[in-house]
Amino acid sequence: MIAAKCKCGGSIGLERCFIEGFLAECMRCNKCGETLFTPEQVKQLAKLREANSEIEGKRKIVKVGSSIAALLPKKVEGYGVREGVVDSIRVLSSKSLEIRFNKDIV
Ligand SMILES: [Zn+2]
């Protein structure tokens, strides 16, 4: 990994950061907030950008029995998203939900 000390004297640790609208792993100083990326984290961010460019778009919410469902584009199957792989759903922001899978999809 990376040196654990920041030039300000704080400790740099692994965190999840919002960068370019993506929630990605980064290294952040707990004192000054300086955010750094390892080469692997830069590659991961590029993968997120690429996956998003394939998948992003308007989707419909439909009624299915007593539940509702978001129709996902067929392309997400290429990322291993299939029936039954959802782990949990939570509020992410005032306009979004996070659908969290039980494995990495990107
Ligand atoms: Zn610092």
Side-chain angles (χ1 to χ4, degrees):
M1 267 288 161
I2 235 171
K5 284 286 170 200
C6 180
K7 55 186 179 269
C8 78
S11 296
I12 295 174
L14 183 65
E15 290 212 19
R16 291 175 88 197
C17 311
F18 259 113
I19 178 95
E20 300 172 23
F22 299 110
L23 189 55
E25 281 193 351
C26 65
M27 306 304 291
R28 183 174 284 160
C29 173
N30 65 357
K31 195 173 168 190
C32 71
E34 170 106 325
T35 303
L36 306 163
F37 295 91
T38 65
E40 293 76 25
Q41 290 168 341
V42 170
K43 275 187 210 155
Q44 184 61 19
L45 186 58
K47 281 187 188 175
L48 293 175
R49 250 189 242 117
E50 191 185 315
N52 186 61
S53 71
E54 277 191 53
I55 292 169
E56 186 176 33
K58 283 191 181 224
R59 306 308 302 179
K60 223 177 203 172
I61 306 288
V62 297
K63 193 161 173 48
V64 180
S66 59
S67 300
I68 57 171
L71 299 178
L72 302 176
K74 185 91 177 145
K75 289 172 188 166
V76 301
E77 286 183 333
Y79 293 93
V81 175
R82 284 178 177 70
E83 283 178 70
V85 296
V86 172
D87 192 44
S88 62
I89 296 172
R90 61 186 283 274
V91 172
L92 187 60
S93 74
S94 63
K95 288 187 176 177
S96 64
L97 296 173
E98 177 183 39
I99 301 171
R100 211 174 158 90
F101 298 101
N102 57 11
K103 62 179 185 119
D104 286 345
I105 60 163
V106 175

